[in-house]
Amino acid sequence: MADQQKVTRNRENLWIRKVPAWLIALLLSAYLAMEYVWPWVVLEQRESDYLKAAMLCHEALSNLEEIQGAAGQFDPPTAQALLKSAMIGSLDCYERRSLRSYLLAQGVNPNHLDVIDTAAALSSQTALPSVVEGLIRK
Amino acid sequence: MKQVFAAAFLSLVAGQASAEPAEFYDQFLGHVIRAYDLKPLPTKPFEATAKYKLGQMLFFDPILSGNRDISCGTCHLLDRGTSDGLDFSIGTGGSGLGERRTLPDGRPQQPRNALDLSNRDNNWVKAMFWDGRVEALDPIKKTFRSPLGDELPSGLENTMAVQALFPLAQEDEMLGLPGDRSPSSLPGPHADQENEIARATAHLHGATKIQQALDLVMTRLLGDEDQSLQPWQRDYRKLFHDAYPHLSAQAYSIVEVANALAHFEEVAFATRATPWDRYLAGDPSAIAPTAKRGAFLFFGKGRCVVCHSGPLFSDFRYHSIGVKPHGPGYDGDGEDLGRYRVTGLDADKYRFRTPPLRNVTRTAPYFHNGSAKTLEEAIRQHLDPLYYADKYDETGGHAMTLAQIDSVSPILILKTTLHPEDVAAIIEFLSALEDAGPKNVREIVPTSVPSSLPVQGEIP
């Protein structure tokens, strides 16, 4: 009997039993918010920025690649000037990388960002020929 | 309390979301500035010396023109960025200024767009005119190539001084035609006068004609000491003496006129303290974030800097960018062969000197024939230089010949991925190259000139 009373007392003394249920619920909610809701909110807010930055980066790298391929047909100063401008242009990728780092730090799933990267690459490939045409001809 | 938490949460998210990439551009431009070694443009201090005053009077005085009806200042207007706002300049015989300037029927029209005069004294300037027919061969030894060939007088100080000679002897610019008379509305001794310079040079050609015309301009300007001098001739002799005290009156020549004009132009038309120069000097707030993005595109993905390089944003080389034919054309029938007329090389057909870009936002319309009315249109032409390759002109003919298509620079044939908002950003950057404008307009545009003719040649 005494033993049974001791066990019951011990149970009652468990620290967890002393934590109010409302606090546990709050902490659990906070965890879920940080883990799932916050990354979702951040991605919702920045997805279009990231898509744009990824597109710009893809375009810049495509430009650099094209100029590297064509450099041979220009005189050396012109080829050098073209490459220099394309390399400056590739700084656009810094923006994407910086934004990606920020989003990952906020808990965004990298797989989601990879999907956006792919969409940006496809989008810039299909959109580019119409970019120039898209400029208003008066 | 709930509302407070909700507001705090939303503002946090919004704050994160609104972190613009603008802050990157200062870092990016730091790389650009180092890569291209960019520095603020050095300019001469504004100082109204005696030489400046002589150049100022010569620049605005129509007495230098055969018909006494046009001065340099007629086609190089301060409020048009020292251009004239027209597709093609209207020379002697015209009336009005800027876009209001008109030409009577039967007068020869100039076939090219007026170039601006900003910063043309800079050593970076290696060539003048759209086709570069005046070039500095050695700026240190001051040797030049020009239509005068070996007959070019010595003592000219820079390409701007050399350039200043030629409009005076050009029939459709300032010389006029044989048989012309000055407008009857001009004051006193200038009204209804025969154009003695055009008459005396009518039978001459090439360098001889230019030399003879320039000699006669000097005679009209300073008179003959053996005969009685006109009031303006006495005034100009005084101005020459003040500007060139070491020279005797007999030694004054067209060289002193050209050097004084060039000196005035280099002091009066230097672009000073543009936002871009202030940014380069270390003031990050000097230009807007969009202009920073524009600068980044200009030097980067847009590849504008490949040709628009250096402190004046021109390589002073020659390129064809597929500009559609417009107007009479330098070579007639709407055709303008550009640099080819100077070198005779087939490879130079349809090529024109890269225009410098400081103050470009104030010098519309654009290109050698003024066919682009806006900067957006001009930039678009660079992005799509073969746009007119499959188009037709007003007469039903092809807008571009095969030779024109072949001439287009391969630099522009490479794909350039600029979006409409990128073009807008580049234009914003070009606006940052704009001089705030002379604060001392009265020190540049005089209220009167020695001849008493209308300043700038605006005929009443």
Side-chain angles (χ1 to χ4, degrees):
Chain A
M1 187 63 180
D3 286 347
Q4 195 175 355
Q5 281 178 340
K6 193 177 176 184
V7 168
T8 306
R9 241 187 345 263
N10 282 346
R11 275 185 192 162
E12 282 170 358
N13 286 341
L14 272 177
W15 66 270
I16 193 77
R17 304 280 298 187
K18 292 179 181 171
V19 178
W22 65 267
L23 184 60
I24 294 171
L26 184 70
L27 290 173
L28 195 60
S29 302
Y31 169 76
L32 290 172
M34 291 296 289
E35 191 66 19
Y36 298 104
V37 181
W38 177 253
W40 177 81
V41 169
V42 171
L43 189 60
E44 278 292 302
Q45 292 288 333
R46 303 304 300 266
E47 187 173 0
S48 62
D49 290 344
Y50 186 76
L51 180 66
K52 189 179 169 193
M55 277 182 74
L56 290 174
C57 175
H58 188 266
E59 288 168 12
L61 293 179
S62 300
N63 278 346
L64 180 59
E65 197 178 5
E66 188 185 357
I67 287 171
Q68 281 170 334
Q73 61 182 275
F74 296 98
D75 60 85
T78 305
Q80 200 181 4
L82 283 165
L83 281 169
K84 198 170 172 180
S85 64
M87 289 174 89
I88 292 284
S90 68
L91 282 173
D92 257 336
C93 291
Y94 177 77
E95 199 176 314
R96 173 196 157 274
R97 197 174 62 192
S98 173
L99 194 51
R100 185 181 176 89
S101 301
Y102 164 75
L103 293 171
L104 290 175
Q106 299 302 314
V108 174
N109 188 330
N111 291 337
H112 288 162
L113 298 180
D114 291 343
V115 169
I116 299 173
D117 280 337
T118 308
L122 288 171
S123 170
S124 45
Q125 284 199 344
T126 52
L128 287 183
S130 63
V131 166
V132 169
E133 290 300 320
L135 294 171
I136 307 152
R137 285 270 175 194
K138 291 192 177 99
Chain B
M1 185 58 95
K2 275 181 187 172
Q3 284 88 338
V4 172
F5 274 122
F9 180 76
L10 284 174
S11 65
L12 180 65
V13 171
Q16 297 284 7
S18 65
E20 277 299 308
E23 67 252 33
F24 294 131
Y25 292 126
D26 285 324
Q27 295 174 36
F28 289 177
L29 289 179
H31 290 291
V32 169
I33 289 165
R34 283 189 293 279
Y36 289 96
D37 193 24
L38 303 176
K39 295 184 177 70
L41 183 72
T43 51
K44 282 189 176 175
F46 190 98
E47 197 179 351
T49 61
K51 192 173 175 183
Y52 172 93
K53 285 176 185 162
L54 172 62
Q56 179 191 34
M57 293 302 148
L58 293 168
F59 188 87
F60 288 103
D61 197 339
I63 194 71
L64 296 181
S65 66
N67 294 329
R68 307 172 199 229
D69 63 347
I70 183 169
S71 70
C72 311
T74 310
C75 296
H76 297 289
L77 302 164
L78 268 187
D79 57 1
R80 297 290 180 281
T82 65
S83 186
D84 62 3
L86 295 165
D87 293 3
F88 311 101
S89 290
I90 293 177
T92 182
S95 57
L97 291 176
E99 292 86 344
R100 289 179 289 108
R101 189 163 175 79
T102 53
L103 186 70
D105 289 342
R107 299 292 306 186
Q109 187 179 31
Q110 290 181 57
R112 285 185 183 153
N113 181 262
L115 283 158
D116 69 281
L117 300 174
S118 304
N119 307 304
R120 292 300 190 275
D121 64 304
N122 192 291
N123 285 339
W124 194 265
V125 178
K126 299 181 182 73
M128 304 293 264
F129 297 114
W130 281 106
D131 52 15
R133 58 185 181 270
V134 167
E135 289 175 287
L137 298 176
D138 185 339
I140 308 296
K141 292 180 183 168
K142 302 198 187 306
T143 54
F144 308 97
R145 180 159 73 177
S146 82
L148 273 172
D150 295 337
E151 305 301 322
L152 187 73
S154 60
L156 293 160
E157 289 170 354
N158 51 34
T159 47
M160 194 178 239
V162 180
Q163 180 272 338
L165 299 174
F166 295 98
L168 301 172
Q170 190 78 28
E171 288 181 350
D172 56 3
E173 291 191 49
M174 294 177 77
L175 176 60
L177 300 169
D180 278 355
R181 300 190 75 82
S182 60
S184 53
S185 56
L186 291 179
H190 302 293
D192 198 30
Q193 294 292 306
E194 184 199 17
N195 184 341
E196 79 282 12
I197 306 173
R199 176 178 50 79
T201 56
H203 61 289
L204 302 174
H205 301 282
T208 317
K209 183 183 181 101
I210 296 170
Q211 280 179 309
Q212 179 71 9
L214 296 177
D215 286 346
L216 291 170
V217 167
M218 286 309 292
T219 305
R220 185 195 282 178
L221 191 66
L222 296 176
D224 188 339
E225 272 189 339
D226 299 334
Q227 297 170 9
S228 62
L229 297 177
Q230 298 284 353
W232 74 81
Q233 293 168 339
R234 282 195 292 274
D235 289 348
Y236 270 115
R237 281 172 178 264
K238 170 83 170 58
L239 287 166
F240 270 76
H241 175 74
D242 293 345
Y244 302 103
H246 58 286
L247 287 181
S248 66
Q250 292 75 27
Y252 301 150
S253 70
I254 198 71
V255 172
E256 281 69 48
V257 169
N259 285 339
L261 277 168
H263 179 74
F264 165 72
E265 290 168 29
E266 67 183 308
V267 173
F269 305 139
T271 57
R272 297 171 196 279
T274 66
W276 176 242
D277 288 312
R278 283 190 279 119
Y279 183 81
L280 292 180
D283 177 4
S285 64
I287 60 174
T290 318
K292 290 177 186 176
R293 169 78 186 159
F296 175 60
L297 290 164
F298 184 94
F299 289 98
K301 196 170 69 171
R303 297 199 292 265
C304 317
V305 72
V306 174
C307 300
H308 292 282
S309 57
L312 303 180
F313 298 90
S314 170
D315 58 0
F316 291 97
R317 293 170 71 185
Y318 305 87
H319 307 275
S320 166
I321 61 168
V323 174
K324 68 175 177 183
H326 175 60
Y330 197 81
D331 297 287
D333 290 335
E335 181 120 299
D336 192 334
L337 295 172
R339 180 68 174 161
Y340 172 80
R341 281 284 162 230
V342 176
T343 64
L345 300 171
D346 279 346
D348 281 334
K349 278 183 179 171
Y350 308 108
R351 288 183 177 182
F352 296 89
R353 192 198 63 170
T354 309
L357 296 183
R358 285 178 177 271
N359 264 347
V360 70
T361 40
R362 301 173 63 198
T363 59
Y366 303 101
F367 300 145
H368 65 277
N369 57 13
S371 58
K373 307 303 175 208
T374 64
L375 262 184
E376 185 191 335
E377 217 175 308
I379 294 172
R380 191 193 61 219
Q381 177 63 36
H382 290 71
L383 298 175
D384 191 6
L386 296 178
Y387 178 79
Y388 293 103
D390 58 354
K391 304 288 184 298
Y392 296 95
D393 60 20
E394 298 86 16
T395 64
H398 291 287
M400 284 176 84
T401 63
L402 275 178
Q404 277 174 304
I405 293 168
D406 286 343
S407 74
V408 171
S409 169
I411 295 170
L412 297 179
I413 299 295
L414 288 169
K415 184 179 69 185
T416 309
T417 49
L418 287 184
H419 301 267
E421 63 268 26
D422 292 338
V423 174
I426 289 174
I427 293 172
E428 186 80 15
F429 165 62
L430 295 175
S431 301
L433 302 180
E434 192 176 305
D435 190 7
K439 292 176 181 62
N440 40 9
V441 174
R442 287 188 182 171
E443 286 188 84
I444 294 177
V445 184
T447 50
S448 65
V449 288
S451 66
S452 304
L453 285 164
V455 173
Q456 293 189 302
E458 190 169 21
I459 308 302

